[in-house]
Coordinates of all heavy atoms in Angstrom, one line a residue:
T41 N -23.7 -14.8 -1.5 CA -23.4 -16.1 -2.1 C -23.6 -17.2 -1.1 O -23.1 -17.1 0.0 CB -22.0 -16.1 -2.7 OG1 -21.9 -15.0 -3.7 CG2 -21.7 -17.4 -3.3
T42 N -24.3 -18.2 -1.5 CA -24.4 -19.4 -0.6 C -23.6 -20.6 -1.1 O -23.3 -20.7 -2.3 CB -25.9 -19.8 -0.5 OG1 -26.3 -20.3 -1.8 CG2 -26.8 -18.6 -0.1
V43 N -23.3 -21.5 -0.2 CA -22.6 -22.7 -0.6 C -23.4 -23.5 -1.6 O -22.9 -24.2 -2.5 CB -22.2 -23.6 0.6 CG1 -21.5 -24.9 0.2 CG2 -21.3 -22.8 1.5
K44 N -24.7 -23.5 -1.4 CA -25.6 -24.2 -2.3 C -25.5 -23.7 -3.7 O -25.5 -24.4 -4.7 CB -27.1 -24.1 -1.8 CG -28.1 -24.9 -2.7 CD -29.4 -24.9 -2.0 CE -30.5 -25.7 -2.9 NZ -31.8 -25.6 -2.2
E45 N -25.4 -22.4 -3.9 CA -25.3 -21.7 -5.2 C -23.9 -22.1 -5.8 O -23.8 -22.3 -7.0 CB -25.4 -20.2 -5.1 CG -26.8 -19.7 -4.8 CD -26.8 -18.2 -4.6 OE1 -25.9 -17.7 -3.9 OE2 -27.8 -17.5 -5.1
I46 N -22.9 -22.1 -5.0 CA -21.6 -22.5 -5.5 C -21.6 -23.9 -6.0 O -21.1 -24.2 -7.1 CB -20.5 -22.4 -4.3 CG1 -20.4 -20.9 -3.9 CG2 -19.2 -23.0 -4.8 CD1 -19.5 -20.7 -2.7
A47 N -22.2 -24.8 -5.3 CA -22.3 -26.2 -5.7 C -23.0 -26.3 -7.1 O -22.6 -27.0 -8.0 CB -23.0 -27.1 -4.7
A48 N -24.1 -25.6 -7.2 CA -24.9 -25.6 -8.5 C -24.1 -25.0 -9.6 O -24.0 -25.6 -10.7 CB -26.2 -24.8 -8.3
A49 N -23.4 -24.0 -9.4 CA -22.6 -23.3 -10.4 C -21.4 -24.2 -10.8 O -21.0 -24.2 -12.0 CB -22.1 -22.0 -9.9
A50 N -20.9 -25.0 -9.9 CA -19.7 -25.9 -10.2 C -20.2 -27.2 -10.8 O -19.3 -28.0 -11.2 CB -18.9 -26.1 -8.9
G51 N -21.5 -27.5 -10.7 CA -22.0 -28.7 -11.2 C -21.7 -29.9 -10.4 O -21.5 -31.0 -10.9
V52 N -21.6 -29.7 -9.1 CA -21.3 -30.8 -8.1 C -22.4 -30.8 -7.0 O -23.1 -29.9 -6.8 CB -19.9 -30.7 -7.5 CG1 -18.8 -30.7 -8.6 CG2 -19.8 -29.4 -6.6
A53 N -22.4 -31.9 -6.3 CA -23.3 -32.1 -5.2 C -22.8 -31.2 -4.0 O -21.7 -30.9 -3.9 CB -23.4 -33.5 -4.7
L54 N -23.8 -30.8 -3.2 CA -23.5 -29.9 -2.1 C -22.5 -30.7 -1.1 O -21.6 -30.0 -0.6 CB -24.8 -29.6 -1.3 CG -24.7 -28.6 -0.1 CD1 -24.1 -27.3 -0.5 CD2 -26.1 -28.4 0.5
R55 N -22.7 -32.0 -0.9 CA -21.8 -32.7 -0.1 C -20.4 -32.7 -0.6 O -19.4 -32.8 0.2 CB -22.3 -34.1 0.1 CG -22.3 -35.0 -1.1 CD -22.8 -36.4 -0.8 NE -22.9 -37.2 -2.0 CZ -23.9 -37.3 -2.8 NH1 -25.0 -36.5 -2.6 NH2 -23.9 -38.1 -3.9
T56 N -20.2 -32.6 -1.9 CA -18.9 -32.6 -2.5 C -18.2 -31.3 -2.1 O -17.0 -31.3 -1.8 CB -19.0 -32.7 -4.0 OG1 -19.6 -33.9 -4.4 CG2 -17.6 -32.6 -4.7
V57 N -18.9 -30.2 -2.1 CA -18.3 -28.9 -1.7 C -17.9 -29.0 -0.2 O -16.8 -28.5 0.1 CB -19.3 -27.8 -1.9 CG1 -18.7 -26.4 -1.4 CG2 -19.7 -27.6 -3.4
H58 N -18.7 -29.5 0.6 CA -18.4 -29.6 2.0 C -17.2 -30.6 2.3 O -16.4 -30.3 3.2 CB -19.6 -30.1 2.8 CG -20.7 -29.1 3.0 ND1 -20.5 -27.9 3.5 CD2 -22.0 -29.2 2.6 CE1 -21.6 -27.2 3.5 NE2 -22.6 -27.9 3.0
A59 N -17.1 -31.6 1.4 CA -16.0 -32.5 1.6 C -14.7 -31.9 1.1 O -13.6 -32.1 1.8 CB -16.2 -33.8 0.8
A60 N -14.7 -31.1 0.1 CA -13.5 -30.4 -0.5 C -13.1 -29.2 0.4 O -11.9 -29.0 0.6 CB -13.8 -30.0 -1.9
F61 N -14.1 -28.5 1.0 CA -13.8 -27.4 1.8 C -14.6 -27.5 3.1 O -15.7 -26.8 3.3 CB -14.3 -26.1 1.0 CG -13.5 -25.8 -0.2 CD1 -13.9 -26.3 -1.4 CD2 -12.3 -25.1 -0.1 CE1 -13.1 -26.0 -2.6 CE2 -11.5 -24.8 -1.3 CZ -12.0 -25.3 -2.5
P62 N -14.1 -28.2 4.1 CA -14.8 -28.4 5.4 C -15.0 -27.0 6.1 O -15.9 -26.9 6.9 CB -13.8 -29.3 6.1 CG -13.0 -29.9 5.1 CD -12.8 -29.0 4.0
G63 N -14.2 -26.0 5.8 CA -14.3 -24.7 6.4 C -15.4 -23.9 5.8 O -15.6 -22.7 6.2
G64 N -16.1 -24.4 4.8 CA -17.3 -23.7 4.2 C -16.9 -22.6 3.3 O -15.8 -22.5 2.7
K65 N -17.8 -21.6 3.2 CA -17.6 -20.5 2.3 C -16.4 -19.7 2.5 O -15.7 -19.2 1.6 CB -18.9 -19.6 2.3 CG -18.9 -18.5 1.3 CD -20.3 -17.9 1.2 CE -20.6 -17.1 2.5 NZ -21.8 -16.2 2.3
A66 N -16.1 -19.5 3.8 CA -14.9 -18.7 4.1 C -13.6 -19.4 3.6 O -12.7 -18.7 3.0 CB -14.8 -18.5 5.6
E67 N -13.5 -20.7 3.7 CA -12.3 -21.4 3.2 C -12.3 -21.3 1.7 O -11.2 -21.1 1.2 CB -12.4 -22.9 3.7 CG -11.1 -23.6 3.2 CD -11.2 -25.1 3.6 OE1 -12.1 -25.5 4.3 OE2 -10.3 -25.8 3.2
I68 N -13.4 -21.4 1.1 CA -13.4 -21.3 -0.4 C -12.9 -19.9 -0.8 O -12.1 -19.7 -1.7 CB -14.8 -21.5 -1.0 CG1 -15.3 -22.9 -0.6 CG2 -14.8 -21.3 -2.5 CD1 -16.8 -23.1 -1.0
F69 N -13.4 -18.9 -0.1 CA -13.0 -17.5 -0.5 C -11.5 -17.3 -0.3 O -10.8 -16.7 -1.1 CB -13.8 -16.4 0.3 CG -13.5 -15.0 -0.2 CD1 -14.4 -14.5 -1.1 CD2 -12.4 -14.3 0.2 CE1 -14.2 -13.2 -1.6 CE2 -12.2 -13.0 -0.3 CZ -13.1 -12.4 -1.2
H70 N -11.0 -17.8 0.9 CA -9.6 -17.6 1.2 C -8.7 -18.3 0.1 O -7.7 -17.7 -0.4 CB -9.3 -18.3 2.5 CG -9.6 -17.4 3.7 ND1 -8.6 -16.9 4.5 CD2 -10.7 -17.0 4.2 CE1 -9.1 -16.1 5.5 NE2 -10.4 -16.2 5.3
E71 N -9.1 -19.5 -0.3 CA -8.3 -20.2 -1.3 C -8.4 -19.5 -2.7 O -7.4 -19.4 -3.4 CB -8.7 -21.6 -1.4 CG -7.8 -22.4 -2.4 CD -8.0 -23.9 -2.4 OE1 -7.9 -24.5 -1.3 OE2 -8.2 -24.5 -3.4
A72 N -9.6 -19.1 -3.0 CA -9.8 -18.4 -4.3 C -8.9 -17.1 -4.3 O -8.3 -16.8 -5.4 CB -11.3 -18.0 -4.5
L73 N -8.9 -16.4 -3.3 CA -8.1 -15.2 -3.2 C -6.6 -15.5 -3.3 O -5.9 -14.8 -4.0 CB -8.4 -14.3 -2.0 CG -7.8 -13.0 -1.9 CD1 -8.1 -12.1 -3.1 CD2 -8.2 -12.3 -0.6
D74 N -6.2 -16.5 -2.5 CA -4.8 -16.9 -2.6 C -4.3 -17.2 -4.0 O -3.2 -16.8 -4.4 CB -4.5 -18.0 -1.6 CG -4.5 -17.6 -0.1 OD1 -4.5 -16.4 0.1 OD2 -4.6 -18.5 0.7
V75 N -5.1 -18.1 -4.6 CA -4.7 -18.5 -6.0 C -4.8 -17.3 -7.0 O -3.9 -17.2 -7.8 CB -5.7 -19.7 -6.4 CG1 -5.4 -20.0 -7.9 CG2 -5.4 -20.9 -5.6
A76 N -5.8 -16.5 -6.9 CA -5.9 -15.4 -7.8 C -4.7 -14.4 -7.6 O -4.2 -13.8 -8.5 CB -7.2 -14.7 -7.6
T77 N -4.4 -14.2 -6.3 CA -3.3 -13.2 -6.0 C -2.0 -13.7 -6.6 O -1.2 -13.0 -7.2 CB -3.2 -13.1 -4.5 OG1 -4.4 -12.5 -4.0 CG2 -2.0 -12.1 -4.1
A78 N -1.7 -15.0 -6.3 CA -0.4 -15.6 -6.8 C -0.4 -16.0 -8.2 O 0.7 -15.9 -8.9 CB -0.1 -16.8 -5.9
G79 N -1.5 -16.3 -8.8 CA -1.6 -16.7 -10.2 C -1.3 -18.2 -10.3 O -1.3 -18.7 -11.4
D80 N -1.2 -18.9 -9.2 CA -1.0 -20.4 -9.2 C -1.4 -20.9 -7.8 O -1.8 -20.2 -7.0 CB 0.4 -20.8 -9.6 CG 1.5 -20.1 -8.8 OD1 1.3 -20.1 -7.5 OD2 2.5 -19.6 -9.3
E81 N -1.2 -22.2 -7.7 CA -1.5 -22.9 -6.4 C -0.4 -23.0 -5.5 O -0.5 -23.7 -4.4 CB -2.2 -24.2 -6.7 CG -3.5 -24.1 -7.5 CD -4.2 -25.4 -7.7 OE1 -3.7 -26.4 -7.2 OE2 -5.3 -25.4 -8.4
E82 N 0.8 -22.5 -5.8 CA 1.9 -22.5 -4.9 C 1.7 -21.7 -3.7 O 1.3 -20.5 -3.8 CB 3.2 -22.1 -5.7 CG 3.6 -23.0 -6.8 CD 4.0 -24.4 -6.3 OE1 4.6 -24.5 -5.2 OE2 3.6 -25.4 -7.0
P83 N 2.0 -22.2 -2.5 CA 1.7 -21.4 -1.3 C 2.9 -20.4 -0.9 O 3.4 -20.4 0.2 CB 1.6 -22.5 -0.2 CG 2.6 -23.6 -0.7 CD 2.4 -23.6 -2.2
V84 N 3.2 -19.6 -1.9 CA 4.3 -18.6 -1.7 C 3.7 -17.2 -2.1 O 3.2 -17.1 -3.3 CB 5.5 -18.9 -2.6 CG1 6.6 -17.9 -2.3 CG2 6.0 -20.3 -2.2
A85 N 3.8 -16.3 -1.2 CA 3.2 -14.9 -1.5 C 4.1 -14.3 -2.7 O 5.3 -14.6 -2.8 CB 3.3 -14.1 -0.3
V86 N 3.4 -13.4 -3.4 CA 4.1 -12.7 -4.5 C 5.3 -12.0 -4.0 O 6.4 -12.0 -4.6 CB 3.1 -11.8 -5.2 CG1 3.8 -10.9 -6.3 CG2 2.0 -12.6 -5.9
A87 N 5.2 -11.3 -2.9 CA 6.3 -10.5 -2.4 C 7.4 -11.3 -1.9 O 8.5 -10.8 -1.7 CB 5.8 -9.7 -1.2
D88 N 7.2 -12.7 -1.7 CA 8.3 -13.5 -1.3 C 8.9 -14.3 -2.5 O 9.8 -15.1 -2.2 CB 7.8 -14.5 -0.3 CG 7.4 -13.8 1.0 OD1 8.1 -12.8 1.4 OD2 6.5 -14.3 1.7
R89 N 8.5 -14.1 -3.7 CA 9.0 -14.9 -4.8 C 10.3 -14.3 -5.3 O 10.5 -13.0 -5.2 CB 7.9 -14.9 -5.9 CG 6.7 -15.6 -5.4 CD 5.7 -16.1 -6.4 NE 4.7 -16.9 -5.8 CZ 3.9 -17.7 -6.5 NH1 4.0 -17.8 -7.8 NH2 3.0 -18.4 -5.9
P90 N 11.1 -15.1 -5.9 CA 12.5 -14.7 -6.3 C 12.5 -13.4 -7.2 O 13.3 -12.6 -7.1 CB 13.0 -15.9 -7.0 CG 12.3 -17.1 -6.4 CD 10.9 -16.5 -6.1
G91 N 11.5 -13.4 -8.2 CA 11.5 -12.3 -9.1 C 11.4 -10.9 -8.4 O 12.1 -9.9 -8.7
F92 N 10.4 -10.9 -7.5 CA 10.2 -9.6 -6.8 C 11.4 -9.3 -5.8 O 11.8 -8.1 -5.7 CB 8.9 -9.7 -6.0 CG 8.6 -8.4 -5.3 CD1 8.1 -7.3 -6.0 CD2 8.7 -8.3 -3.9 CE1 7.8 -6.1 -5.3 CE2 8.4 -7.1 -3.2 CZ 8.0 -6.0 -4.0
R93 N 11.9 -10.3 -5.1 CA 13.0 -10.1 -4.2 C 14.2 -9.6 -5.0 O 14.9 -8.7 -4.5 CB 13.3 -11.4 -3.5 CG 12.2 -12.0 -2.7 CD 11.5 -11.1 -1.7 NE 12.3 -10.5 -0.7 CZ 11.9 -9.6 0.2 NH1 10.7 -9.2 0.2 NH2 12.8 -9.1 1.1
A94 N 14.5 -10.1 -6.2 CA 15.6 -9.7 -6.9 C 15.4 -8.2 -7.4 O 16.4 -7.5 -7.5 CB 15.8 -10.6 -8.2
A95 N 14.2 -7.9 -7.8 CA 13.9 -6.5 -8.2 C 14.2 -5.5 -7.1 O 14.6 -4.3 -7.5 CB 12.5 -6.4 -8.7
L96 N 14.0 -5.8 -5.9 CA 14.3 -4.9 -4.8 C 15.8 -4.5 -4.8 O 16.1 -3.4 -4.3 CB 13.9 -5.5 -3.5 CG 12.5 -5.8 -3.2 CD1 12.3 -6.5 -1.9 CD2 11.7 -4.4 -3.1
D97 N 16.6 -5.3 -5.3 CA 18.1 -5.0 -5.4 C 18.5 -4.4 -6.7 O 19.7 -4.1 -6.9 CB 18.9 -6.3 -5.1 CG 18.7 -6.8 -3.7 OD1 18.5 -6.0 -2.8 OD2 18.6 -8.1 -3.6
D98 N 17.6 -4.1 -7.6 CA 17.9 -3.6 -8.9 C 17.0 -2.3 -9.1 O 15.9 -2.5 -9.5 CB 17.6 -4.6 -10.0 CG 18.1 -4.2 -11.4 OD1 18.3 -3.0 -11.6 OD2 18.2 -5.0 -12.3
P99 N 17.6 -1.2 -8.9 CA 16.8 0.1 -9.0 C 16.2 0.3 -10.4 O 15.1 0.9 -10.5 CB 17.8 1.2 -8.7 CG 19.1 0.6 -8.9 CD 19.0 -0.9 -8.6
D100 N 16.8 -0.2 -11.5 CA 16.2 0.0 -12.8 C 15.1 -1.0 -13.0 O 14.2 -0.7 -13.9 CB 17.3 -0.3 -13.9 CG 18.4 0.8 -13.9 OD1 18.1 2.0 -13.5 OD2 19.6 0.4 -14.1
R101 N 15.0 -2.1 -12.3 CA 13.9 -3.0 -12.5 C 12.8 -2.9 -11.6 O 11.7 -3.4 -11.8 CB 14.4 -4.5 -12.4 CG 15.2 -5.0 -13.5 CD 15.6 -6.5 -13.2 NE 14.4 -7.3 -12.9 CZ 14.5 -8.4 -12.2 NH1 15.6 -8.8 -11.7 NH2 13.4 -9.1 -12.0
L102 N 13.0 -2.1 -10.5 CA 12.1 -2.2 -9.3 C 10.7 -1.7 -9.7 O 9.7 -2.4 -9.5 CB 12.6 -1.4 -8.2 CG 11.8 -1.4 -6.9 CD1 11.4 -2.8 -6.5 CD2 12.6 -0.8 -5.7
L103 N 10.6 -0.5 -10.2 CA 9.2 0.1 -10.5 C 8.6 -0.7 -11.7 O 7.4 -1.0 -11.6 CB 9.3 1.5 -10.8 CG 9.3 2.4 -9.5 CD1 9.3 3.9 -9.9 CD2 8.2 2.1 -8.6
P104 N 9.3 -1.0 -12.8 CA 8.7 -1.8 -13.9 C 8.2 -3.1 -13.4 O 7.2 -3.6 -13.8 CB 9.9 -1.9 -14.9 CG 10.7 -0.7 -14.7 CD 10.7 -0.5 -13.2
E105 N 9.0 -3.8 -12.5 CA 8.6 -5.1 -12.0 C 7.4 -5.0 -11.1 O 6.4 -5.8 -11.2 CB 9.7 -5.8 -11.3 CG 9.5 -7.2 -10.9 CD 9.4 -8.2 -12.0 OE1 9.5 -7.8 -13.2 OE2 9.1 -9.4 -11.7

Side-chain angles (χ1 to χ4, degrees):
T41 298
T42 67
V43 176
K44 185 176 181 180
E45 288 175 321
I46 292 170
V52 300
L54 184 60
R55 65 178 179 275
T56 301
V57 178
H58 288 304
F61 294 92
K65 188 169 67 167
E67 183 184 353
I68 300 172
F69 189 94
H70 277 250
E71 182 169 310
L73 184 58
D74 285 346
V75 171
T77 299
D80 56 44
E81 296 182 2
E82 293 297 319
V84 181
V86 173
D88 293 328
R89 297 194 173 200
F92 182 74
R93 304 308 301 179
L96 291 173
D97 295 323
D98 186 340
D100 293 327
R101 284 183 55 203
L102 183 48
L103 282 184
E105 186 70 2

